[in-house]
Amino acid sequence: MDYYSLYFPFVVLFGLLIGSFMNVVAIRSLKNESVAFPPSHCVHCNNSLKPLDLIPLLSYLFLRGKCRYCSASISWVYPAGEAAIAALFILIYWQLGWTPELFTGFLLAAILTAIVITDLKSMLIPDKIVFAGMILAVVLRLWIHPLPLWDYAIAFFTGSGLLWIMAILSKGGMGGGDIKLFAFLGLVLGMKLTLLTLFVASLLGTLYGIVLFALHRLQKKHSVPFGPFIAIAAMLMYLWGNQVIDWYMEWMMG
């Protein structure tokens, strides 16, 4: 076994731990609660959870999705969030290897998973999550920047600016959370991949709307959260966007 494969279990474990933490961040941000206080507890019976109740993914399986103390059902969001981030961490590690950029990829996956949870649950992308992501992204990009720093700075304003214009033109059809999220993405992705993410996210959202319309499930005032489409597009572009651009340029050049 080479050193590259040797680190996979550690990446999985790290992903599960971060996934567990980001679940707490997402759920408590929606309730405007502190991440640190009160300690982890059952939302139904308020019993404090013991360490054995907090093992990422495994506790949910061992307890069969129910609280140890009151037998109330535990939301599927918790194991889903943990598994999603662990899977993304493995995918990012597989693509990037053990490089400094790996930390930026992990940050992107963690923030995007949290906003998908909040957007699906409450049609909201909390400022606390996005602003924390921006601060960490700035710190990382000052240290790790495959592109010139000015590229990330321009992307920060361009991505959010385009969403802001779309929000004005759609008369509120685009939320403020989406605008701030694209500012964060600009810091992580740079100019080209941010614009490509906007295009792909809009395409995915449009296709989803067409499917809903075809199935007669799209009502007049039906609101669809845009965050999940942004997250999918951003993750795809972060990992394979440059290959997409290279393929397109080759195709254009014949």
Side-chain angles (χ1 to χ4, degrees), residues 85-145:
I85 291 185
L88 286 173
F89 276 25
I90 280 292
L91 182 59
I92 293 166
Y93 176 66
W94 177 60
Q95 283 291 107
L96 302 181
W98 193 249
T99 62
E101 180 64 22
L102 189 64
F103 297 102
T104 308
F106 286 172
L107 172 65
L108 178 66
I111 296 296
L112 290 180
T113 303
I115 66 96
V116 166
I117 292 172
T118 61
D119 211 16
L120 289 177
K121 285 182 70 67
S122 302
M123 294 281 291
L124 182 68
I125 298 177
D127 288 346
K128 289 180 181 179
I129 297 177
V130 180
F131 287 155
M134 288 182 191
I135 293 170
L136 292 172
V138 168
V139 171
L140 285 172
R141 280 298 175 228
L142 289 174
W143 172 42
I144 311 159
H145 46 90

Side-chain angles (χ1 to χ4, degrees), residues 4-252:
Y4 184 78
S5 303
L6 186 65
Y7 285 113
F8 266 91
F10 297 100
V11 173
V12 172
L13 178 59
F14 184 56
L16 289 173
L17 292 173
I18 296 297
S20 180
F21 175 71
M22 294 309 295
N23 276 335
V24 174
V25 170
I27 301 301
R28 294 199 178 190
S29 293
L30 292 177
K31 298 178 180 179
N32 203 26
E33 294 178 349
S34 166
V35 174
F37 185 84
S40 297
H41 59 280
C42 174
V43 296
H44 302 285
C45 64
N46 285 322
N47 268 297
S48 295
L49 301 180
K50 303 297 188 293
L52 287 176
D53 303 319
L54 299 172
I55 303 173
L57 203 57
L58 294 180
S59 289
Y60 183 87
L61 297 175
F62 291 152
L63 295 172
R64 298 181 181 179
K66 294 183 179 180
C67 172
R68 182 194 303 275
Y69 309 100
C70 67
S71 297
S73 295
I74 301 171
S75 173
W76 60 269
V77 168
Y78 293 101
E82 293 163 357
I85 291 185
L88 286 173
F89 276 25
I90 280 292
L91 182 59
I92 293 166
Y93 176 66
W94 177 60
Q95 283 291 107
L96 302 181
W98 193 249
T99 62
E101 180 64 22
L102 189 64
F103 297 102
T104 308
F106 286 172
L107 172 65
L108 178 66
I111 296 296
L112 290 180
T113 303
I115 66 96
V116 166
I117 292 172
T118 61
D119 211 16
L120 289 177
K121 285 182 70 67
S122 302
M123 294 281 291
L124 182 68
I125 298 177
D127 288 346
K128 289 180 181 179
I129 297 177
V130 180
F131 287 155
M134 288 182 191
I135 293 170
L136 292 172
V138 168
V139 171
L140 285 172
R141 280 298 175 228
L142 289 174
W143 172 42
I144 311 159
H145 46 90
L147 301 172
L149 288 175
W150 58 261
D151 192 291
Y152 297 107
I154 293 175
F156 173 84
F157 291 105
T158 302
S160 56
L162 288 174
L163 264 290
W164 180 70
I165 293 172
M166 290 172 65
I168 294 175
L169 295 178
S170 63
K171 297 180 179 180
M174 190 69 61
D178 299 325
I179 297 172
K180 295 163 191 168
L181 178 59
F182 258 93
F184 162 71
L185 292 177
L187 294 171
V188 175
L189 301 175
M191 189 64 180
K192 289 190 297 185
L193 296 186
T194 297
L195 294 177
L196 194 54
T197 295
L198 177 57
F199 171 75
V200 174
S202 301
L203 179 62
L204 292 175
T206 301
L207 292 175
Y208 181 73
I210 291 173
V211 171
L212 288 183
F213 181 79
L215 297 175
H216 305 289
R217 292 184 179 179
L218 188 63
Q219 306 299 323
K220 253 186 179 181
K221 295 184 178 180
H222 188 85
S223 296
V224 177
F226 193 40
F229 299 111
I230 297 174
I232 294 171
M235 207 69 248
L236 290 174
M237 293 308 101
Y238 179 74
L239 293 172
W240 296 291
N242 287 317
Q243 290 92 317
V244 171
I245 293 173
D246 291 343
W247 169 82
Y248 180 75
M249 294 304 295
E250 288 179 10
W251 178 73
M252 287 294 291

